Amino acid sequence: MSHKPYTGAAGGWAALASTAKHLVKSENVAKNLKTLLKTNQDHGFDCPGCAWGEKGNRATFRFCENGAKAVNWEASSRRVNAQFFAEHSVAWLAKQSDYFLEYQGRLAEPVVYNSQSGHYQAIAWDEAFQLIAKHLHRLETPNQAELYTSGRASNEAAFLYQLFGRRLGTNNFPDCSNMCHEASGYALSSSIGTGKGTVTIEDFEMADAIFLFGQNPGTNHPRMLETLAHATHRGAKVVAFNNLKERGLERFANPQKPAEMLSGGSSPTTSHYFTPKLGGDMAAVRGIVKVLLARHQQALLHGDRVFDLNFIKQHTQGLESYLIEVEQTSWQKIVEQSGLSQAQIESAADIYHQSDRVIIAWAMGITQHKHSVATIHELTNLQLLFGQIGKDGAGLCPVRGHSNVQGDRTMGINERPSSAFLESIEQVFGFTPPKKPGHNVVQALTAMLKGKSKVFIGLGGNLVAAAPDTALSTQALANCELTVSIATKLNRTHVTPGQQSLILPCLGRTDVDEQLAGPQRVTVEDSFSMVHASAGLIDESREHMRSEPAIIAGIANAAFGASPVDWLSLVEDYDRIRDLIEQTIPGFERFNQNLQQPGGFYLGNSARRRIWNTATNRAQITCHSLPENIISAEVRALSDNRIFVLQTLRSHDQYNTTIYGFADRYRGIYDEREVLFINPLDIAELGFKEGALVNIETLWADNIERKVKGFKLIAYDIPQGNVAAYFPEANPLVPLMSKGDLSDTPTSKSVAVVLTTSADSEIAIALS
Ligand SMILES: Nc1nc2c(c(=O)[nH]1)N[C@H]1C(S)=C(S)[C@@H](COP(=O)(O)OP(=O)(O)OC[C@H]3O[C@@H](n4cnc5c(=O)[nH]c(N)nc54)[C@H](O)[C@@H]3O)O[C@H]1N2
Ligand SMILES: Nc1nc2c(c(=O)[nH]1)N[C@H]1C(S)=C(S)[C@@H](COP(=O)(O)OP(=O)(O)OC[C@H]3O[C@@H](n4cnc5c(=O)[nH]c(N)nc54)[C@H](O)[C@@H]3O)O[C@H]1N2
Ligand SMILES: [Mo]
């Protein structure tokens, strides 16, 4: 039986045991242990796991189980070189699992795809750079190139990469955040005039209440558990809204606290837990506002108030039309769409009302829906009604994913750069960068599918596996004249070559990066806008690997020579890249000096200072109606069967498309990934049995069959009508054109599906 409900707390001995197991598996135990102790410390490297931040003085070591897995995984002593590719054809590799591909070790030598032999073979670095330059020069327009970025790239690499792209003449910078927090950036920019969160880590120590929407920190931001446990311990309320009962949101034993570990104790991470339906959070928040509006109107009768009228008057715009919309939204609609009762919503409103300082945090459960921008506007409205932005212990906190995804945007990885940014590029580098907006991920894939874009370069990441509609994304890459991957580990994208293809092996964050001026540091920015240095420590034979900045400089130099900068000399000493960042981007004054500060420096946040960089110079209270339905009438008309809403999420043993193992401990899954979490009542109503295998088929009005087969039903605490499966196994089900309004983010948390029994089902039950 592979499903055994987990009864322990998150963290604790099980987390330490798992860390140890992964250390041993890496075949590099002593070295990796030493490395782990340097994670997130001054003079060490930034954890390549998540983007959670640390307090200013990083005197004690901080890493978590999943950070340890990320470090171990990168520090593998196995190598993938030309010999490996001589032994394995691309066709054979394409049939292997994502786990198998990455497990083969670190990419160690540049290789080029030979379509005649069907194998990758060795190529010299300079030849690889020339090949890329040749393809770029051959394009009819620079907008036929797609320059993808995954959020691990350092600030220095990202800055050079965007400069290279703009010199080429395109803003085609699709990046992982298009599939991630795009809606947060869009919604926050339009309502409060900055795309970033307004809180710092210190605010979590002052908040009276922390509301968490659609986030699973036990797995994806484990260091946040400590912050939450600490908050509940001092009496703050932590209120979770999550479609599933997640263990890490219930209890946490802190592996960094010996007493708690020895006594077998643990701390609650949340005080209240609500399980809304998928996509139901906007309705839930609308309900909270509706309760508080009624109280406000009552209070006014007695000359009192509930909303912060001074703040509203001084700082906001849009109150009236929003309140009319709230009044017109019926309780029936709120209850039906949120899946929560009016009493539950009232109890959440009570906590909000009783708290002087409130933080609202969220992640993918909010951002990967059709109405994500509207939902984040709704969260922002609630905070604005109470003046909960721009004071200590309060604010908005989109919890970022990749460890430097926020920094990459700051550096200009943006398909819609601001005119101020482009003017700055022109001034510093003396050429006119393109102004036309470029492609995001969905637009880039669409252009490649139509044969309009011809060169794909990936700075990290694994686009084929991370993107929706796997079959179409695979076709998109295969259509290209040239695909280039700058990467640490072999993955699905590399075994989906274009007509020509290059894999360029790079150093990771844990590796020593030796350049002419000595070992180099890079910088990253966390979710709290703290910029700090990161220096690798592992000094193993790295064969032919090069650093990301060196690879980008090599490509740019082959394409343009020393224009507009002497690319190769910048890489000799990354201080020189930082000097250019300082000249181009506000907030990086005295960049190289400021980096010396322990813990780095704070970039600041205008909304936190109650400066609203919006069109009206006020914070915008934005008014949207609730979605008519989570599944559109058009899609509902496609089937007479019972329709479920599917979310795709991460297990405890993966980092996005990187699969470390097959256990999802906190959800009680041990040796498999092709599972479907479903309410036991739904299993019964469908006439299925727990453990049965089902086929999952998407409903989408375009006549393309999207189906995965043989997923095992797991009875789980999830609202009826909702189901969940793992990313990336379920990506073939997400239609490329099912995307967020205004954000274009694939709706990975709401896909309409129907379930049918699978022929293999009988056999599986007999065997178990
Ligand atoms: N170990 C590890 N760490 C990671 C990653 C990783 O893969 N592994 N990925 C990194 C990245 S890039 C990111 S973006 C973050 C992702 O961090 P998360 O956003 O925590 O990641 P998901 O697994 O997608 O989890 C979404 C959570 O939201 C809930 N949810 C889904 N839909 C809804 C909804 O409609 N309403 C509500 N209220 N809840 C909902 C799900 O039940 C789940 O708990 O983590 C980062 N950190
Ligand atoms: N269905 C569904 N799809 C999703 C999501 C979902 O929740 N559901 N989540 C989305 C989200 S939030 C995100 S952020 C994207 C993630 O999309 P990506 O960022 O594209 O994917 P990753 O799996 O993080 O990329 C892993 C690869 O990055 C490379 N790599 C690792 N470290 C480094 C490094 O230091 N440098 C370089 N150059 N390469 C490196 C390795 O080769 C590894 O194979 O996926 C999205 N896709
Ligand atoms: Mo992400």
Side-chain angles (χ1 to χ4, degrees):
M1 178 79 181
S2 60
H3 181 224
K4 292 179 224 129
Y6 184 79
T7 51
W13 290 110
L16 276 191
S18 163
T19 307
K21 198 176 95 197
H22 281 268
L23 259 175
V24 172
K25 237 174 44 183
S26 74
E27 302 164 8
N28 237 349
V29 186
K31 213 167 258 160
N32 287 358
L33 193 60
K34 197 178 114 202
T35 315
L36 281 177
L37 296 178
K38 290 280 184 190
T39 313
N40 291 332
Q41 274 207 290
D42 289 326
H43 312 298
F45 56 87
D46 183 71
C47 181
C50 71
W52 190 250
E54 287 294 336
K55 290 248 296 174
N57 182 359
R58 306 198 290 168
T60 47
F61 77 85
R62 295 255 174 257
F63 68 90
C64 66
E65 175 194 354
N66 280 349
K69 287 181 198 165
V71 169
N72 268 314
W73 195 253
E74 184 166 291
S76 163
S77 52
R78 301 159 64 109
R79 293 288 179 266
V80 172
N81 48 27
Q83 180 63 32
F84 173 91
F85 288 111
E87 285 161 17
H88 304 292
S89 71
V90 169
W92 184 84
L93 289 168
K95 290 197 200 107
Q96 309 309 309
S97 69
D98 294 312
Y99 174 78
F100 175 90
L101 293 178
E102 284 220 18
Y103 186 71
Q104 301 314 308
R106 286 287 295 274
L107 293 162
E109 155 168 37
V111 287
V112 61
Y113 179 57
N114 178 335
S115 57
Q116 244 116 57
S117 70
H119 286 253
Y120 276 101
Q121 62 192 47
I123 183 171
W125 275 107
D126 278 345
E127 263 180 71
F129 294 150
Q130 291 303 336
L131 181 68
I132 300 170
K134 188 181 91 188
H135 276 274
L136 292 175
H137 289 316
R138 230 170 36 195
L139 296 176
E140 291 136 37
T141 112
N143 293 323
Q144 292 179 334
E146 302 291 351
L147 307 180
Y148 178 71
T149 310
S150 167
R152 263 193 207 181
S154 64
N155 288 338
E156 289 73 6
F159 185 79
L160 284 190
Y161 193 55
Q162 66 78 30
L163 186 61
F164 154 71
R166 297 203 159 101
R167 171 66 180 78
L168 179 67
T170 185
N171 284 315
N172 284 352
F173 287 105
D175 78 325
C176 68
S177 68
N178 298 146
M179 300 180 275
C180 183
H181 262 296
E182 191 67 50
S184 306
Y186 188 95
L188 294 178
S189 300
S190 62
S191 57
I192 59 168
T194 166
K196 299 180 185 179
T198 68
V199 302
T200 64
I201 188 122
E202 285 79 12
D203 286 320
F204 280 85
E205 295 173 2
M206 288 178 259
D208 300 309
I210 300 164
F211 281 67
L212 302 176
F213 287 89
Q215 195 206 344
N216 180 25
T219 287
N220 298 314
H221 304 90
R223 286 174 295 135
M224 184 182 188
L225 291 187
E226 195 185 347
T227 307
L228 297 179
H230 192 245
T232 48
H233 186 72
R234 66 178 171 76
K237 302 280 190 297
V238 179
V239 184
F241 285 79
N242 196 302
N243 184 239
L244 296 178
K245 275 286 168 65
E246 301 282 22
R247 200 58 193 145
L249 283 172
E250 298 182 297
R251 293 202 77 78
F252 170 59
N254 189 347
Q256 327 246 8
K257 269 196 196 155
E260 200 158 83
M261 292 291 285
L262 290 173
S263 68
S266 63
S267 318
T269 33
T270 48
S271 44
H272 296 77
Y273 205 122
F274 301 102
T275 48
K277 283 198 216 163
L278 288 172
D281 303 86
M282 181 178 176
V285 177
R286 178 66 53 92
I288 293 175
V289 175
K290 200 171 169 73
V291 172
L292 298 173
L293 172 60
R295 290 184 194 171
H296 180 69
Q297 285 162 340
Q298 271 298 314
L300 287 179
L301 297 178
H302 309 106
D304 211 349
R305 59 187 58 176
V306 169
F307 295 157
D308 185 342
L309 293 180
N310 290 337
F311 177 91
I312 292 172
K313 187 155 172 255
Q314 196 185 341
H315 293 287
T316 72
Q317 173 164 310
L319 179 74
E320 289 73 20
S321 41
Y322 175 64
L323 293 186
I324 293 171
E325 181 68 36
V326 173
E327 291 210 298
Q328 286 175 351
T329 313
S330 71
W331 271 111
Q332 187 204 346
K333 174 103 185 176
I334 290 171
V335 167
E336 175 206 291
Q337 194 161 98
S338 69
L340 301 176
S341 67
Q342 189 170 341
Q344 283 176 307
I345 292 172
E346 275 167 7
S347 70
D350 282 342
I351 299 166
Y352 191 95
H353 190 180
Q354 288 153 11
S355 307
D356 283 338
R357 296 166 192 276
V358 183
I359 291 176
I360 296 185
W362 69 91
M364 297 304 104
I366 291 298
T367 62
Q368 295 177 332
H369 289 285
K370 183 166 190 302
H371 59 300
S372 292
V373 168
T375 304
I376 297 160
H377 278 152
E378 197 76 17
L379 296 171
T380 309
N381 291 349
L382 173 59
Q383 292 289 71
L384 289 173
L385 291 175
F386 287 83
Q388 295 285 3
I389 297 178
K391 69 177 185 190
D392 289 343
L396 292 165
C397 180
V399 184
R400 303 281 164 185
H402 264 301
S403 49
N404 196 39
V405 62
Q406 186 161 318
D408 290 346
R409 266 291 154 92
T410 309
M411 292 298 115
I413 301 298
N414 192 341
E415 74 279 6
R416 287 174 301 183
S418 69
S419 43
F421 181 85
L422 293 177
E423 276 158 29
S424 192
I425 292 277
E426 176 148 10
Q427 214 166 32
V428 177
F429 298 100
F431 73 95
T432 309
K435 297 201 171 56
K436 191 176 156 231
H439 291 157
N440 59 28
V441 162
V442 169
Q443 292 163 335
L445 288 168
T446 308
M448 292 191 273
L449 265 176
K450 291 187 181 149
K452 288 189 176 159
S453 285
K454 298 178 175 169
V455 172
F456 169 85
I457 304 182
L459 177 58
N462 181 6
L463 184 61
V464 167
D469 241 340
T470 314
L472 290 184
S473 303
T474 304
Q475 189 58 49
L477 266 277
N479 282 356
C480 288
E481 287 173 4
L482 175 71
T483 53
V484 180
S485 295
I486 302 168
T488 52
K489 291 268 188 124
L490 186 63
N491 68 39
R492 185 74 42 213
T493 303
H494 311 155
V495 297
T496 312
Q499 289 154 38
Q500 287 204 293
S501 184
L502 289 163
I503 307 176
L504 304 179
C506 68
L507 299 177
R509 211 172 283 161
T510 56
D511 298 313
V512 171
D513 180 357
E514 186 79 36
Q515 303 293 344
L516 203 71
Q520 298 298 310
R521 299 179 300 175
V522 293
T523 57
V524 294
E525 175 184 339
D526 66 24
S527 285
F528 308 114
S529 305
M530 293 294 299
V531 177
H532 50 260
S534 169
L537 295 159
I538 296 190
D539 199 7
E540 283 207 336
S541 155
R542 58 177 62 99
E543 302 187 25
H544 300 279
M545 296 173 206
R546 288 195 182 173
S547 77
E548 291 177 340
I551 295 171
I552 297 159
I555 298 173
N557 185 61
F560 318 118
S563 158
V565 287
D566 183 352
W567 304 93
L568 301 182
S569 88
L570 291 179
V571 176
E572 291 170 0
D573 180 351
Y574 296 176
D575 279 1
R576 296 176 194 160
I577 306 176
R578 284 186 285 271
D579 285 339
L580 293 176
I581 294 173
E582 170 173 343
Q583 288 173 49
T584 315
I585 302 173
F588 289 84
E589 293 75 22
R590 296 167 43 83
F591 192 3
N592 280 306
Q593 293 92 311
N594 283 344
L595 266 192
Q596 313 295 345
Q597 281 166 231
F601 61 93
Y602 179 48
L603 278 180
N605 180 285
S606 47
R608 190 190 173 80
R609 288 181 283 129
R610 297 191 170 173
I611 295 169
W612 318 102
N613 292 324
T614 58
T616 56
N617 291 323
R618 284 174 163 264
Q620 202 65 38
I621 297 179
T622 320
C623 178
H624 300 270
S625 318
L626 292 185
E628 202 54 51
N629 245 299
I630 299 304
I631 300 302
S632 73
E634 188 192 18
V635 167
R636 273 182 293 140
L638 294 173
S639 175
D640 295 331
N641 288 350
R642 178 131 179 244
I643 301 175
F644 286 82
V645 185
L646 167 82
Q647 65 149 316
T648 58
L649 40 52
R650 293 154 173 78
S651 89
H652 194 62
D653 241 2
Q654 77 184 80
Y655 193 93
N656 298 338
T657 67
T658 297
I659 313 301
Y660 303 125
F662 294 81
D664 190 7
R665 191 171 73 240
Y666 299 148
R667 300 196 189 106
I669 303 295
Y670 286 95
D671 44 26
E672 55 197 335
R673 290 183 50 89
E674 293 187 347
V675 297
L676 186 71
F677 298 99
I678 181 169
N679 188 294
L681 296 174
D682 285 335
I683 299 183
E685 281 174 24
L686 290 169
F688 293 164
K689 291 199 182 80
E690 192 179 353
L693 303 187
V694 295
N695 298 335
I696 314 171
E697 188 167 0
T698 300
L699 298 176
W700 188 253
D702 64 0
N703 293 320
I704 296 178
E705 188 188 67
R706 296 180 179 83
K707 193 172 192 172
V708 296
K709 295 182 178 170
F711 277 50
K712 188 193 269 189
L713 292 177
I714 305 286
Y716 210 79
D717 194 346
I718 180 172
Q720 275 201 271
N722 288 172
V723 289
Y726 295 131
F727 148 55
E729 283 78 358
N731 284 42
L733 295 171
V734 187
L736 184 58
M737 284 304 134
S738 175
K739 54 200 173 89
D741 298 332
L742 299 168
S743 67
D744 266 9
T745 301
T747 62
S748 303
K749 299 292 190 267
S750 59
V751 181
V753 296
V754 290
L755 310 178
T756 49
T757 40
S758 159
D760 307 328
S761 180
E762 309 301 318
I763 307 167
I765 292 177
L767 288 178
S768 65

